[in-house]
Amino acid sequence: MKVFVTGGAGYIGSHTLVQLLAAGHEVCVFDNYCNSSPAALARVRQLTNRDLTAIDGDIRDADALTRALADFAPDAVIHFAGLKAVGESNAMPLAYYQTNVTGTMNLLAAMDAAECRRIVFSSSATVYGEARYLPFDEDHPVAPTNPYGRTKAMAEGVIADWATATPAASAVLLRYFNPVGAHESGRIGEDPQGIPNNLMPFVAQVAVGRRDKLAIFGDDYETRDGTGERDYIHVVDLAAAHLAAIGYAARAEGCQAINVGTGQGITVKELVAAYERACGHPIAYEVAPRRPGDVASSYAATDKAERLLQWRTALDVDAMCASSWRWQSENPDGYPGGAED
């Protein structure tokens, strides 16, 4: 199958490329590298011994998207490209709407012009907002509490309406929980720009000496050890979910929202302890006040993914932390400055 991948040089995109190429798919990546590096694509080529097409482009550029899809003529699209930091979305809401919503509309229009009818969308569990019950299932009300979540929910709605209006269209909306870890080779992994927004890359930078200590925001929640509990999923398992979703989209029609998680929660202290086992030394941390809006627990119901995609996770928290440490210790400063190595 020919697969067009927006944002393919990013963290989740690069791991998915490895699996797409290993499965024999032909791939074209469309990325502006605003939060990624071309070096990731060079390493994907090395890991798979397969080539791919790479186009430097921005999903806000409708003409460039249309040309790229017309030239490649894909059978399916995986749409990763987007802005993804909750805090930044509060400060820059228009940039988030322009990229995440208008960019998605541009992509669908380009798909129509290229007569491509299958899309897998990189969505987020942030669309659910505050938990009314746990675990989150796909019928949970969608009520995001920040601009980032709202742009993801709006993009989902646009894709669902497109799928309804487009004969023989198939769309899979993958709602990620908390992707972590890295490829087992240590060659590709998460390389956040600036201060990490998520827990594991921050822990990794403390472990490797780039940061002094971790702040744990609150230790008085109603969880096993008082710290917040989240559903962390290994990025390699998440990449496998995209491969399964492409297969599902090839045989199904309509639009399906599907959670992608393990179905189990891991607390902050449990994650820190697992990372200490991986790196072999203590992780310095201090307890800080709770952050506004944080909840005690969040984890996924995964029945739908198992039923429709025949997919489930295979890698545990120790595998997540061991792979993250291998990536971080071998690449303490992340990817080299954009140059292929």
Side-chain angles (χ1 to χ4, degrees), residues 177-247:
F177 276 68
N178 298 272
V180 296
H183 190 267
E184 62 181 3
S185 67
R187 294 290 289 158
I188 57 173
E190 188 170 11
D191 184 20
Q193 307 300 308
I195 299 173
N197 292 297
N198 299 318
L199 175 62
M200 185 173 283
F202 203 106
V203 171
Q205 291 188 7
V206 174
V208 83
R210 284 178 64 180
R211 302 195 182 275
D212 292 336
K213 58 187 172 183
L214 169 72
I216 295 178
F217 297 103
D219 63 352
D220 56 351
Y221 289 103
E222 292 185 9
T223 61
R224 290 179 295 280
D225 56 26
T227 61
E229 179 184 42
R230 299 292 182 267
D231 190 338
Y232 294 97
I233 175 173
H234 198 302
V235 68
V236 171
D237 279 331
L238 181 55
H242 288 81
L243 195 64
I246 283 289

Side-chain angles (χ1 to χ4, degrees), residues 285-311:
Y285 69 83
E286 65 179 5
V287 176
R290 293 187 186 190
R291 293 179 299 190
D294 277 356
V295 298
S297 297
S298 173
Y299 52 95
T302 60
D303 314 59
K304 190 173 183 181
E306 294 180 18
R307 184 175 74 254
L308 296 186
L309 305 183
Q310 286 82 58
W311 168 91

Side-chain angles (χ1 to χ4, degrees), residues 1 75-76 117-120 162-163 166-172 244-256 258 304 307-310:
M1 192 182 298
D75 301 301
R117 299 287 183 264
R118 302 184 186 106
I119 185 169
V120 174
W162 169 85
T166 305
S170 180
V172 182
I246 283 289
Y248 175 79
R251 62 180 184 269
E253 294 184 8
C255 182
Q256 294 284 351
I258 302 176
K304 190 173 183 181
R307 184 175 74 254
L308 296 186
L309 305 183
Q310 286 82 58

Side-chain angles (χ1 to χ4, degrees), residues 257-281:
I258 302 176
N259 286 340
V260 190
T262 66
Q264 297 180 334
I266 298 168
T267 70
V268 176
K269 285 186 176 179
E270 288 169 346
L271 187 72
V272 170
Y275 216 98
E276 289 176 337
R277 292 194 293 272
C279 71
H281 59 77

Side-chain angles (χ1 to χ4, degrees), residues 4-336:
F4 187 87
V5 184
T6 71
Y11 173 45
I12 301 166
S14 59
H15 288 81
T16 301
L17 292 181
V18 170
Q19 300 215 13
L20 289 171
L21 292 169
H25 296 297
E26 184 180 347
V27 173
C28 177
V29 172
F30 188 88
D31 203 313
N32 69 354
Y33 309 111
C34 74
N35 193 30
S36 61
S37 169
L41 300 183
R43 294 184 180 192
V44 166
R45 292 184 178 102
Q46 293 165 0
L47 288 169
T48 61
N49 199 28
R50 293 280 311 280
D51 200 8
L52 55 84
T53 301
I55 298 172
D56 187 343
D58 192 311
I59 59 171
R60 294 172 297 180
D61 186 339
D63 291 340
L65 262 179
T66 300
R67 288 193 301 271
L69 272 97
D71 290 345
F72 186 63
D75 301 301
V77 169
I78 302 180
H79 181 28
F80 292 111
L83 301 176
K84 61 176 185 176
V86 169
E88 184 182 66
S89 77
N90 288 315
M92 303 168 50
L94 295 185
Y96 272 69
Y97 282 98
Q98 187 177 47
T99 299
N100 295 358
V101 180
T102 304
T104 298
M105 294 168 65
N106 290 342
L107 178 61
L108 293 171
M111 288 173 62
D112 281 344
E115 299 184 350
C116 179
R117 299 287 183 264
R118 302 184 186 106
I119 185 169
V120 174
F121 176 54
S122 167
S123 192
S124 168
T126 58
V127 301
Y128 293 124
E130 298 285 343
R132 301 189 186 181
Y133 57 83
L134 288 174
F136 284 108
D137 60 29
E138 291 83 357
D139 293 325
H140 188 284
V142 170
T145 59
N146 54 70
Y148 167 66
R150 284 189 282 273
T151 63
K152 285 295 188 182
M154 289 182 70
E156 282 193 2
V158 170
I159 293 169
D161 288 342
W162 169 85
T164 299
T166 305
S170 180
V172 182
L173 315 173
L174 294 182
R175 292 174 176 167
Y176 309 163
F177 276 68
N178 298 272
V180 296
H183 190 267
E184 62 181 3
S185 67
R187 294 290 289 158
I188 57 173
E190 188 170 11
D191 184 20
Q193 307 300 308
I195 299 173
N197 292 297
N198 299 318
L199 175 62
M200 185 173 283
F202 203 106
V203 171
Q205 291 188 7
V206 174
V208 83
R210 284 178 64 180
R211 302 195 182 275
D212 292 336
K213 58 187 172 183
L214 169 72
I216 295 178
F217 297 103
D219 63 352
D220 56 351
Y221 289 103
E222 292 185 9
T223 61
R224 290 179 295 280
D225 56 26
T227 61
E229 179 184 42
R230 299 292 182 267
D231 190 338
Y232 294 97
I233 175 173
H234 198 302
V235 68
V236 171
D237 279 331
L238 181 55
H242 288 81
L243 195 64
I246 283 289
Y248 175 79
R251 62 180 184 269
E253 294 184 8
C255 182
Q256 294 284 351
I258 302 176
N259 286 340
V260 190
T262 66
Q264 297 180 334
I266 298 168
T267 70
V268 176
K269 285 186 176 179
E270 288 169 346
L271 187 72
V272 170
Y275 216 98
E276 289 176 337
R277 292 194 293 272
C279 71
H281 59 77
I283 304 292
Y285 69 83
E286 65 179 5
V287 176
R290 293 187 186 190
R291 293 179 299 190
D294 277 356
V295 298
S297 297
S298 173
Y299 52 95
T302 60
D303 314 59
K304 190 173 183 181
E306 294 180 18
R307 184 175 74 254
L308 296 186
L309 305 183
Q310 286 82 58
W311 168 91
R312 67 177 62 191
T313 57
L315 299 166
D316 64 12
V317 65
D318 285 308
M320 298 173 199
C321 293
S323 63
S324 170
W325 175 241
R326 186 175 301 113
W327 154 256
Q328 189 68 70
S329 59
E330 294 178 8
N331 304 270
D333 298 314
Y335 291 112

